[in-house]
Amino acid sequence: MGSEVKPLRSAQWFEGEALRNFSHRARARQLGLNAEEHIGKPVIAILNTWSGINPCHMHLRERAEQVSRGVWQAGGVPMEFPVSTLSETYQKPTPMMYRNMLAMETEEILRSYPVDGAVLMGGCDKSTPALLMGAASADLPAIFVPAGPMLRGNWRNQKLASGTDMWRFWDDKRAGVIGETEWNEIESGLARSPGTCMTMGTASTMTSAAEALGLTLPGASSIPAVDSAHHRMAAASGMRIVEMVREDLTMSRILSAEAYEDAVTTVLAIGGSTNSLIHLVAMAGRSQLPLSLDDFDRLARTTPVLASVQPAGKYLMEDFYYAGGLRGLFSRLRESLHLDRVTVTGRTFGEELEGAAVFDDDVIRPLDNPVAPEGGLAVLRGNLAPDGAVIKYVAADPALWKHSGPAVVFHGYKDLQQRINSADLEITRDSVIVLAGGGPKGGPGMPEYGMLPIPDKLLKQGVRDMVRVSDARMSGTSYGACVLHVAPEAHVGGPLALVRDGDMVTLDVEARVLSVEVSDDELAKRRSEWTPPESKFERGYGALYYEHITQANEGCDFEFLSRPGTNPEPNAL
């Protein structure tokens, strides 16, 4: 750490005899702060993604008060900043389109205000990577406070899993297995408390990744949102960030190549969301560190799935927490992790695992009895996905891990909605449903269309899974033999744009292959006849997004945000 104390960044604003220093102090008095309350003390920005329309974050207004309490107690000055809320539930066409906007907002708030360190508060899917991407670019001391998963759902003495059971019962309703009465009861029992999805969806996957990176207090990511331990964690995070400022423990000192590799290993061991590939690649890019789809696939070959949490297992996040949580899972992966790297505590990752244990071997499996012997995600390549695609095969019917069938192609989600249940649609359980036009530009924003619906007529025949291929994403709570993130996407001329009805599509998870049985010459002929679509945006953020978004295998970041380089500190005077 060194014996010299680094001057506070905020001192440029508040200390000195220049007119601007006077003005800043006068405005602090306007805020009701006495000089002794803030002069010479670390200013901590609390970036809060609370809003009245985000149920996953509805408790973060209260948690911000607890973070502030911790900051004051440790001798810092808390300043709460409301930032964009990315609600997976409501924001259209998808909050993925706005992840980079929140990342930009995070970076620029930390850069432009008198801030010495930051507490980042989020959890709903895209908010975690957005906050961490922006904070990594700003490179101040920062700690992440996860929103935490909601309580288990309940219906007629059954545990309900948000997302996963919604899809399951929706299929049952369309098949005529349940009726309106049951469906309405499920509506009221599916989401019973504040917090993110209680499955191992994208939210818990990414907060787990944040903990694996060393950016949260130990055990923070598994705590249920309404548990009193969550209140205490928030206050403790507020206390710790003040010490991090004094230690100059910045993001770049924590986010090493080894940290990202451990985050990937964690995602694979928990049976995490496919969305994590996009987000972690983007996050590593902000740290100017290489991370590719091949790294995920390489680690998947040697990392077993240990967490039996839906949709890849049978339990929920509450069960996972009581079974020992992420620290318990880490205790079983010690030999696969880099234990000597530093975390936000100032201690090493290994030191923070002292005393970690598992209390239920069925929820967090031992190494000799995993949920699956290899990580639950597989990266596919072939003439249909030259730059890669991904499948969460542990959440699919194993009978479909190797499958060939004729394509039934839809160009755009509206086309799929209009025709998927047509009585005239020629489709069988052996068909491969293909959606082209759901990618980063084509979606737009790469919406969660990837769990393509099975036609009603096949559901009524008892079909519950089919091979489905798209350049879109799917919810981390979803399941099925869904091949996602096909790159390059159809909208920019990727091979998916060239597939026609009846083409034979082959999926082979073990061989990591996704291909279409069409000759190179025929594909070239079709490409010559293909017309590039026009941009869907004429102005505003949409136009900025369309012009600069990268493909899924590159993290869907903006090129100008991920490129190397630094920006000057603002002149506070």
Side-chain angles (χ1 to χ4, degrees):
M1 300 298 177
S3 57
E4 293 186 8
V5 177
K6 183 178 179 180
L8 292 174
R9 183 174 178 271
S10 59
Q12 300 173 59
W13 277 261
F14 295 117
E15 299 179 29
E17 301 304 321
L19 179 60
R20 285 293 181 186
N21 297 135
F22 169 84
S23 175
H24 297 146
R25 292 193 297 269
R27 294 302 186 177
R29 305 299 164 267
Q30 183 183 9
L31 287 169
L33 290 172
N34 294 311
E36 57 267 31
E37 291 184 90
H38 76 99
I39 296 296
K41 296 181 179 181
V43 176
I44 305 300
I46 302 172
L47 271 56
N48 193 351
T49 53
W50 175 90
S51 83
I53 200 170
N54 192 335
C56 302
H57 295 181
M58 61 190 292
H59 58 307
L60 292 188
R61 174 183 275 177
E62 178 187 2
R63 293 296 177 276
E65 296 175 358
Q66 287 136 14
V67 171
S68 294
R69 184 183 80 208
V71 172
W72 282 122
Q73 289 178 338
V77 184
M79 294 285 186
E80 186 175 355
F81 291 78
V83 293
S84 302
T85 192
L86 305 182
S87 174
E88 199 66 43
T89 308
Y90 293 110
Q91 195 168 25
K92 306 299 180 185
T94 166
M96 181 64 183
M97 185 169 163
Y98 300 100
R99 183 200 67 182
N100 297 344
M101 186 169 74
L102 175 55
M104 292 170 67
E105 184 180 16
T106 298
E107 177 180 354
E108 297 308 323
I109 281 178
L110 298 184
R111 189 188 312 283
S112 61
Y113 280 98
V115 169
D116 300 299
V119 178
L120 313 170
M121 304 185 68
C124 187
D125 295 16
K126 314 306 176 296
S127 62
T128 299
L131 290 166
L132 297 181
M133 288 162 66
S137 294
D139 198 25
L140 296 178
I143 192 169
F144 183 66
V145 172
M150 69 176 87
L151 297 177
R152 294 181 288 246
N154 184 69
W155 174 64
R156 296 188 181 184
N157 205 33
Q158 294 184 49
K159 294 179 182 178
L160 291 182
S162 58
T164 302
D165 279 332
M166 177 184 73
W167 306 115
R168 179 165 66 89
F169 284 114
W170 175 240
D171 284 350
D172 284 350
K173 182 177 183 295
R174 292 165 59 212
V177 176
I178 64 171
E180 288 295 332
T181 298
E182 294 86 352
W183 186 240
N184 290 335
E185 290 174 0
I186 291 168
E187 179 180 301
S188 297
L190 193 64
R192 296 174 44 240
S193 80
T196 59
C197 292
M198 77 296 272
T199 55
M200 192 58 77
T202 304
S204 285
T205 298
M206 291 312 300
T207 56
S208 295
E211 182 171 341
L213 287 166
L215 296 174
T216 76
L217 292 182
S221 67
S222 308
I223 305 171
V226 295
D227 195 295
S228 63
H230 200 269
H231 300 64
R232 299 192 298 273
M233 177 271 293
S237 297
M239 296 181 70
R240 177 58 197 155
I241 187 60
V242 177
E243 295 304 314
M244 288 177 65
V245 169
R246 290 171 175 151
E247 296 165 6
D248 195 28
L249 185 51
T250 59
M251 293 279 280
S252 59
R253 294 181 57 191
I254 296 170
L255 293 177
S256 62
E258 292 78 14
Y260 280 107
E261 184 164 300
D262 286 349
V264 172
T265 297
T266 299
V267 165
L268 295 167
I270 61 179
S273 167
T274 51
N275 289 299
S276 63
L277 280 78
I278 297 175
H279 297 317
L280 282 171
V281 167
M283 289 162 62
R286 294 301 188 94
S287 299
Q288 301 302 308
L289 293 169
L291 186 67
S292 71
L293 300 188
D294 292 336
D295 293 312
F296 280 84
D297 203 56
R298 170 178 56 84
L299 291 168
R301 295 292 195 177
T302 58
T303 304
V305 180
L306 301 183
S308 180
V309 180
Q310 293 189 43
K314 62 180 180 179
Y315 295 99
L316 298 173
M317 286 301 295
E318 241 184 300
D319 307 304
F320 183 71
Y321 174 64
Y322 297 131
L326 199 61
R327 293 183 73 244
L329 183 135
F330 286 153
S331 72
R332 293 190 162 165
L333 290 173
R334 290 183 69 100
E335 294 185 4
S336 300
L337 301 171
H338 299 86
L339 303 179
D340 294 333
R341 56 189 178 83
V342 71
T343 72
V344 291
T345 66
R347 287 158 47 92
T348 67
F349 192 46
E351 287 173 330
E352 292 299 350
L353 293 185
E354 294 171 5
V358 174
F359 309 110
D360 189 327
D361 285 344
D362 198 43
V363 180
I364 303 175
R365 301 287 188 84
L367 291 172
D368 60 1
N369 183 33
V371 176
E374 293 186 2
L377 304 176
V379 174
L380 311 170
R381 295 187 188 274
N383 69 344
L384 199 51
D387 292 335
V390 63
I391 182 172
K392 187 174 183 175
Y393 68 92
V394 292
D397 183 345
L400 296 173
W401 291 357
K402 187 173 184 178
H403 179 83
S404 293
V408 178
V409 183
F410 299 91
H411 292 280
Y413 197 62
K414 288 184 178 180
D415 180 34
L416 182 140
Q417 289 178 307
Q418 291 169 357
R419 295 196 295 121
I420 190 66
N421 289 316
S422 171
D424 298 330
L425 185 68
E426 295 185 6
I427 190 168
T428 71
R429 68 175 64 219
D430 295 322
S431 299
V432 175
I433 304 176
V434 174
L435 172 66
K441 290 190 174 186
M446 207 178 180
E448 293 183 342
Y449 295 157
M451 188 179 173
L452 307 178
I454 295 171
D456 288 353
K457 62 184 179 183
L458 295 183
L459 287 173
K460 291 174 182 177
Q461 295 172 20
V463 177
R464 287 298 183 271
D465 201 0
M466 295 175 65
V467 174
R468 289 157 276 179
V469 178
S470 76
D471 47 12
R473 299 178 301 108
M474 78 175 183
S475 167
T477 67
S478 301
Y479 54 88
C482 301
V483 178
L484 310 158
H485 311 179
V486 172
E489 65 173 308
H491 196 82
V492 299
L496 208 61
L498 311 178
V499 180
R500 296 178 180 175
D501 287 342
D503 289 346
M504 292 298 294
V505 174
T506 294
L507 165 67
D508 189 332
V509 172
E510 178 60 30
R512 301 299 201 254
V513 168
L514 179 68
S515 62
V516 58
E517 295 180 23
V518 177
S519 70
D520 291 344
D521 288 344
E522 175 60 20
L523 287 175
K525 178 177 178 295
R526 293 181 186 181
R527 182 169 284 106
S528 68
E529 299 168 351
W530 177 78
T531 301
E534 295 181 359
S535 169
K536 299 189 177 186
F537 300 97
E538 295 183 354
R539 56 165 303 281
Y541 176 77
L544 177 74
Y545 172 92
Y546 190 88
E547 291 169 10
H548 295 283
I549 194 68
T550 60
Q551 289 294 293
N553 61 300
E554 300 170 302
C556 293
D557 201 358
F558 292 159
E559 181 277 330
F560 63 84
L561 293 177
S562 60
R563 71 172 68 139
T566 59
N567 290 331
E569 277 283 295
N571 183 359
L573 300 180

